Amino acid sequence: MAGAAAIALGAPAAQAQQAAQQAANQQQADQKKKADEKATAEGTLLDKILVISRTGETAIQSLASASHVDQEQLDRRMATTPNEMLLGVPGVTVQADARRVSSSINIRGLQDFGRVAVIIDGARQDFQRSDHGTQSTFYVDPELIKSVDVIRGPTANTYGSGAIGGVVFFDTKDAADFLKPEETWAGSLTGRYESNGKGWTTSATGAYKINDNWDVLGNIVYRDYGDYKNGGGDTVAGTGFDVLSGLLKTTIRPTENSELKLGWVGSKDGWTETSGSVPANDVDLKSNTFTARYDITDDARSWLDLHINASYNKTLLDLTTLTAQNRFDPTTGLPVLLPAGSLSTFDVGTTGIDIWNTSRFETASVAHELTYGGDWVGDNVDTGGSAGGDSFYTPGGKRNVSGAYIQDKLTWEWLEVIGGLRYDNYSLKDDANGTSGDRVSPRITVGISPFESAGLAGLQFYGTYAEGYRSPSLTETLISGNHPAGVSFPFLPNPNLKPETGKTVEFGVNYKQNDIIEGGDALRLKAAYFNNNVDDYIDGVTLSPFDPTSGCPFGPGIPICFQYQNFAKAKINGFELESVYDAGWGYAGLSASIVNGHTISYEGERADLATVPSSQVTAQLGLRFFEDKLTVGGEVQYNGKPKGNPVAKDFTLVNAFASYQATDNLKLDFRADNLFDVKYTNPLNGSTTAVLYEPGVTLKLAATMRFGG
């Protein structure tokens, strides 16, 4: 009876205690879930810190048109070329012609000759070869990249001279991103097959932590692709390639507040150029980039946030004729026979150094982030070979571009003001000609966050006026000789070219809000209108020898000449939108860009700008299942025909993807690009000699095995 009484009396207490414990456990679980959801919300793309930022900003905090592509997005896109890495980034288009491994980036209708600064781990990519189509190209394998940052417009003038269109920064993988916290070493193997072109990709990565302050990572990638088929089912000649790429990177932390990164990125590419679908040239390209980055950041000394980048990039392209070709002598313009096996070489070396520091302090309750620094880039171009002629169209010579800047970001409660000045200086020369120039370019940005209510506290408006300065390139200034094939006419050098000056007015809005529909979700939105006037815009023009003021001589061939000349200005305006909603279990994104542009001659004549890309609207949707192990989704992108392009048409692309983390060590990825096999062409390829249609439906399947300890 006593025992029964004790049980009877103790049961309610035990039940109460158990219920209390269950409630506490449930509360902890709810808190953890909410924290996890919050972490997911804060992890949206626009919340990621921009590697390119000199003051540690995220894209949503930036008072500029900035975008970030992270590792998750890159994995989802299963990119073969840089074009696929930048899918849906507003205002950004990639032109690649049939040479899929070489790419030229267009931002807001500006591209080539350094108008867009392409940077890999701090190293400028300045390779250029004159041709019908892309001019300035770069080479990097998407497997080596962990993130891409984009800043549009000359507001990026702290990132180097000439970037009146903007900056694209590719950041390669680190050992710290690959190793798990408890691991000393790890490796992975990836195999991938693509149906269109029957392409294979194999990739191997290894990382080792020597100690807590020193680690190293290596990666090697090989791709072997045949010619792809376009949406009409026709094989596009000259689109196959094979490429071997590699990465070696080490990070050393000498002290608690400093870090040294040494890196090498290289590739060896090969493809066949065609003429009228007939193989014409065998191309072999070697590209090597060496970088050293040293950072010192000391929270105890707010005036010290020092960064030093040094780099050297060398790109060597050999062009070998496969069959005898009827050409024109570059000097006389008379017909000559170019024998099979003739060689042309393009050797471009770029050396750069970039130093800056940010000091943080307060004056009268106003917070300052004062950034100041300088940079120098030197291009050394050497062209030649037994083929003759090609070195005339991509002339050799040297160009030096340097600059210094100061920028102060002031913050007071709801007000932010950024003011800056940049000084640029350039000189270029060959054996016979030379030119130089300099300029000071200002920037002023004002941002306000006027609302305090819960729904509007994350709303910010900003306005910017910024200028940028681009010096003429060696090719634009010194190109000479006669057109090599088809018809003969001379190219004329123009050492009197003026530099371009971009003057941009931009108005934008940033919006950041959490817990909108359910706890832990997040909405991020950036939108901007811009108007860019590029004074003294440089473009190629056709001259007549019948005009005594043109300087065009009579000679063999057709009676015209080609020369790069200044226009009074190019006027470019447009609208951009980037937004993402993430609720943990799924996400949705919408981006859009509309670009219009034309040139105006000194006589007032107006002409459509050939480099204006399609207007685009891209929608993305993804759903996560099984504790985020499975992600499925798709993308829809509408592309509108730009004005003045006789080739391009409106088209819509639909893509689908799925990613499954089967185990901790096995991941499976699937993707279908151009699911409905649309036949379309990139409007930027309108300057090529023949219409180039892009790949039709492409299925991709990959498996990645990881191991470590």
Side-chain angles (χ1 to χ4, degrees):
M1 290 179 64
I7 293 173
L9 292 172
Q15 290 174 353
Q17 185 177 4
Q18 183 178 7
Q21 184 63 41
Q22 289 176 346
N25 291 341
Q26 183 62 44
Q27 185 179 8
Q28 291 177 356
D30 291 342
Q31 290 175 347
K32 183 179 185 300
K33 181 179 179 181
K34 191 166 184 178
D36 291 342
E37 290 173 341
K38 196 75 171 178
T40 300
E42 294 297 334
T44 62
L45 286 174
L46 295 176
D47 289 299
K48 302 294 178 68
I49 292 178
L50 299 166
V51 176
I52 197 173
S53 172
R54 308 228 148 160
T55 53
E57 292 177 323
T58 65
I60 197 64
Q61 293 170 336
S62 177
L63 299 181
S65 295
S67 298
H68 178 82
V69 182
D70 67 358
Q71 185 69 67
E72 181 183 352
Q73 273 194 314
L74 294 174
D75 291 344
R76 185 186 310 146
R77 289 168 186 174
M78 301 176 69
T80 304
T81 65
N83 180 32
E84 295 164 324
M85 283 195 285
L86 294 166
L87 173 72
V89 178
V92 179
T93 308
V94 180
Q95 182 185 4
D97 303 339
R99 302 166 297 183
R100 300 167 67 194
V101 293
S102 59
S103 305
S104 177
I105 295 182
N106 179 302
I107 296 182
R108 293 179 171 178
L110 294 173
Q111 73 178 88
D112 289 334
F113 302 122
R115 294 184 178 101
V116 174
V118 178
I119 303 172
I120 300 175
D121 283 348
R124 286 281 290 254
Q125 307 295 301
D126 284 353
F127 180 79
Q128 188 271 325
R129 172 194 165 201
S130 296
D131 203 354
H132 291 276
T134 54
Q135 297 284 332
S136 300
T137 55
F138 72 100
Y139 309 84
V140 66
D141 195 288
E143 282 291 310
L144 310 179
I145 304 301
K146 73 173 180 180
S147 68
V148 188
D149 288 342
V150 178
I151 295 182
R152 296 176 285 277
T155 55
N157 58 13
T158 58
Y159 307 100
S161 179
I164 60 174
V167 178
V168 180
F169 191 103
F170 294 89
D171 195 32
T172 60
K173 297 176 179 178
D174 288 290
D177 304 308
F178 187 72
L179 293 169
K180 295 180 180 179
E182 71 278 5
E183 289 180 335
T184 301
W185 64 273
S188 72
L189 296 172
T190 298
R192 189 168 88 204
Y193 174 74
E194 297 187 24
S195 63
N196 199 348
K198 298 180 180 179
W200 286 94
T201 296
T202 54
S203 174
T205 303
Y208 183 69
K209 183 191 292 185
I210 300 171
N211 55 49
D212 289 341
N213 297 316
W214 188 7
D215 53 48
V216 62
L217 177 137
N219 179 277
I220 187 168
V221 185
Y222 178 68
R223 299 182 188 268
D224 188 6
Y225 286 72
D227 294 341
Y228 66 71
K229 292 183 179 181
N230 62 32
D234 301 317
T235 299
V236 182
T239 56
F241 63 91
D242 64 271
V243 54
L244 178 67
S245 301
L247 162 71
L248 187 62
K249 196 172 185 181
T250 185
T251 302
I252 304 169
R253 303 167 189 85
T255 67
E256 182 181 354
N257 302 311
S258 63
E259 183 177 79
L260 172 66
K261 290 187 178 183
L262 304 175
W264 163 80
V265 178
S267 64
K268 183 180 186 300
D269 302 343
W271 66 94
T272 300
E273 292 184 342
T274 62
S275 178
S277 299
V278 177
N281 301 305
D282 183 54
V283 183
D284 181 67
L285 181 138
K286 300 181 182 68
S287 177
N288 290 280
T289 298
F290 302 90
T291 57
R293 295 188 285 175
Y294 185 58
D295 304 322
I296 305 176
T297 302
D298 191 346
D299 293 336
R301 292 179 286 182
S302 60
W303 55 268
L304 181 61
D305 189 0
L306 178 66
H307 307 267
I308 303 173
N309 292 351
S311 63
Y312 177 70
N313 170 256
K314 184 178 180 65
T315 303
L316 176 63
L317 186 147
D318 291 335
L319 188 72
T320 305
T321 58
L322 296 175
T323 59
Q325 300 177 13
N326 293 316
R327 299 282 290 267
F328 296 102
D329 184 273
T331 304
T332 65
L334 299 175
V336 296
L337 181 67
L338 188 68
S342 299
L343 177 70
S344 295
T345 61
F346 304 82
D347 187 347
V348 180
T350 300
T351 306
I353 187 166
D354 186 6
I355 303 173
W356 77 93
N357 184 64
T358 299
S359 298
R360 296 172 174 85
F361 55 93
E362 288 190 7
T363 58
S365 74
V366 176
H368 296 259
E369 289 182 279
L370 183 66
T371 303
Y372 42 94
D375 47 72
W376 168 82
V377 174
D379 293 327
N380 189 359
V381 181
D382 185 12
T383 57
S386 60
D390 293 284
S391 60
F392 287 80
Y393 323 124
T394 307
K398 295 183 178 181
R399 185 182 74 143
N400 290 292
V401 179
S402 59
Y405 58 87
I406 184 169
Q407 173 181 286
D408 193 11
K409 177 181 177 181
L410 301 88
T411 304
W412 177 78
E413 295 183 355
W414 49 267
L415 176 66
E416 289 185 29
V417 178
I418 301 173
L421 290 174
R422 178 180 175 88
Y423 169 77
D424 286 297
N425 178 281
Y426 81 93
S427 65
L428 60 87
K429 63 180 180 179
D430 64 0
D431 295 336
N433 300 287
T435 184
S436 62
D438 62 351
R439 190 179 190 276
V440 174
S441 302
R443 175 200 177 182
I444 181 70
T445 299
V446 177
I448 60 171
S449 304
F451 303 108
E452 296 182 356
S453 61
L456 298 176
L459 185 62
Q460 183 178 46
F461 301 95
Y462 71 87
T464 290
Y465 176 78
E467 296 183 3
Y469 180 74
R470 185 188 76 89
S471 67
S473 68
L474 287 165
T475 291
E476 291 169 308
T477 308
L478 305 175
I479 188 172
S480 63
N482 284 277
H483 190 265
V487 294
S488 177
F489 59 86
F491 296 99
L492 302 182
N494 188 356
N496 297 318
L497 275 177
K498 302 175 184 176
E500 295 176 343
T501 303
K503 300 178 179 179
T504 291
V505 175
E506 180 174 317
F507 298 100
V509 57
N510 297 332
Y511 183 62
K512 175 180 179 179
Q513 193 63 246
N514 296 334
D515 306 327
I516 296 178
I517 299 176
E518 60 183 50
D521 67 0
L523 174 67
R524 304 288 184 264
L525 182 147
K526 289 180 71 74
Y529 168 80
F530 65 90
N531 187 84
N532 189 1
N533 290 328
V534 183
D535 292 343
D536 300 313
Y537 181 76
I538 300 172
D539 203 358
V541 299
T542 301
L543 307 175
S544 171
F546 301 104
D547 180 359
T549 64
S550 68
C552 177
F554 285 94
I558 60 175
I560 63 169
C561 296
F562 179 90
Q563 186 181 51
Y564 285 100
Q565 292 189 355
N566 291 109
F567 286 74
K569 64 179 57 184
K571 296 179 70 68
I572 305 172
N573 61 72
F575 170 80
E576 294 165 349
L577 167 71
E578 184 174 18
S579 61
V580 60
Y581 172 79
D582 198 320
W585 49 265
Y587 67 90
L590 182 68
S591 64
S593 61
I594 301 172
V595 182
N596 298 297
H598 59 272
T599 58
I600 301 175
S601 70
Y602 291 105
E603 292 76 28
E605 297 178 355
R606 173 172 165 163
D608 290 323
L609 192 61
T611 54
V612 169
S614 295
S615 295
Q616 291 184 343
V617 178
T618 305
Q620 303 181 55
L621 177 66
L623 300 174
R624 304 182 179 105
F625 302 95
F626 308 131
E627 297 180 339
D628 296 346
K629 291 182 178 180
L630 174 64
T631 302
V632 297
E635 302 144 354
V636 179
Q637 184 182 79
Y638 168 77
N639 294 261
K641 170 184 169 64
K643 295 179 181 178
N645 192 302
V647 176
K649 298 180 180 179
D650 296 1
F651 63 92
T652 300
L653 300 178
V654 178
N655 309 320
F657 59 84
S659 178
Y660 181 52
Q661 189 73 49
T663 70
D664 289 341
N665 297 318
L666 177 63
K667 183 184 177 186
L668 303 175
D669 291 283
F670 169 78
R671 185 173 178 90
D673 285 326
N674 193 1
L675 196 57
F676 295 107
D677 211 17
V678 176
K679 186 177 182 179
Y680 71 100
T681 184
N682 184 341
L684 297 178
N685 288 325
S687 59
T688 57
T689 55
V691 178
L692 176 73
Y693 290 100
E694 301 296 326
V697 60
T698 303
L699 305 180
K700 303 178 182 180
L701 181 63
T704 300
M705 179 66 74
R706 191 187 186 282
F707 45 89

